[in-house]
Amino acid sequence: FFPNTTIPLNIYEAPYLKMLDECLKTKLPIAIIPSKFTQNEDYTGAICTLGRPVVLQENPDKTKLIVLQAQGKVQLHEKLQTIPFQRYNCLPIEEEESVFPENCFKANRLKIELKKWIKRDQKDSHYQVQFFSKLSGPNQLINYACTFLSSSIVQQQSLLEISNINQRLDLLLSYLEAKGQSAQENLH
């Protein structure tokens, strides 16, 4: 989950449903912590993205389908609460979001890779068209590519911790090139 992106989530565990209800009531955002962390771990110092939850569907069993609309990147600073879910004070992280003109060509390469991904993993043609129609510029393209094309949680976290979009682009491309070389080697 990266700045300038939106992700869908199914919320079904009781503590997270309680957290969602409180966030909706108080209009507080939700921070997405990388999955490499465990549920009871202290996340102080972790870099994450804040998102504003929007409920799309509430099911009869009280589970919910939501989307999180990214609002910015933060570092978790001070733990305020542990039970039934963790709550932190956060320090905002400023992003350098201007894509250098010379990197627009590189960003277009990501668009090609995203098209391959979406055709392979998202069979709904309506979703495919909708996804690409919502991309507004190279910055958002790079952040969605980081969300969907990086192959591990460690890679995603490394990309998220970079605050310069041009450096993030270069690191993602290096990951994709290494992945492509690995795939090529497996063919031989």
Side-chain angles (χ1 to χ4, degrees), residues 93-186:
I93 296 175
E94 293 298 318
E95 292 262 295
E96 173 52 56
E97 296 180 336
S98 299
V99 177
F100 297 147
E102 61 269 21
N103 282 340
C104 288
F105 178 76
K106 292 177 183 179
N108 282 332
R109 177 169 167 230
L110 291 180
K111 191 171 190 174
I112 293 166
E113 294 300 321
L114 271 174
K115 283 183 178 180
K116 290 178 191 175
W117 166 80
I118 206 162
K119 284 182 180 178
R120 184 185 67 240
D121 292 359
Q122 302 294 327
K123 302 303 180 197
D124 182 347
S125 60
H126 177 70
Y127 178 82
Q128 293 174 7
V129 170
Q130 188 178 25
F131 178 82
F132 281 102
S133 71
K134 290 184 178 183
L135 290 180
S136 60
N139 182 294
Q140 195 175 42
L141 177 70
I142 292 164
N143 284 323
Y144 270 111
C146 288
T147 300
F148 296 118
L149 299 179
S150 52
S151 60
S152 74
I153 293 163
V154 172
Q155 284 182 359
Q156 285 183 344
Q157 186 62 28
S158 295
L159 290 162
L160 184 62
E161 291 177 3
I162 296 172
S163 293
N164 181 298
I165 195 75
N166 297 286
Q167 293 171 357
R168 188 178 298 146
L169 170 63
D170 287 338
L171 183 58
L172 177 60
L173 288 172
S174 74
Y175 288 155
L176 292 174
E177 288 168 8
K179 185 177 171 182
Q181 289 173 349
S182 176
Q184 287 286 345
E185 291 169 3
N186 288 337

Side-chain angles (χ1 to χ4, degrees), residues 64-84:
K64 294 178 177 139
L65 172 62
I66 69 167
V67 291
L68 275 185
Q69 300 169 332
Q71 294 187 299
K73 200 164 79 171
V74 296
Q75 182 175 31
L76 301 182
H77 177 61
E78 175 188 13
K79 189 188 283 191
L80 302 173
Q81 168 183 319
T82 309
I83 298 173

Side-chain angles (χ1 to χ4, degrees), residues 12-47:
Y12 54 89
E13 294 181 46
Y16 299 118
L17 288 165
K18 195 171 207 167
M19 177 185 69
L20 175 62
D21 289 341
E22 187 169 321
C23 288
L24 291 168
K25 195 180 308 174
T26 60
K27 300 191 185 312
L28 288 173
I30 293 174
I32 297 293
I33 302 295
S35 297
K36 71 179 181 178
F37 295 104
T38 61
Q39 189 173 4
N40 297 322
E41 189 171 333
D42 182 357
Y43 302 127
T44 302
I47 306 295

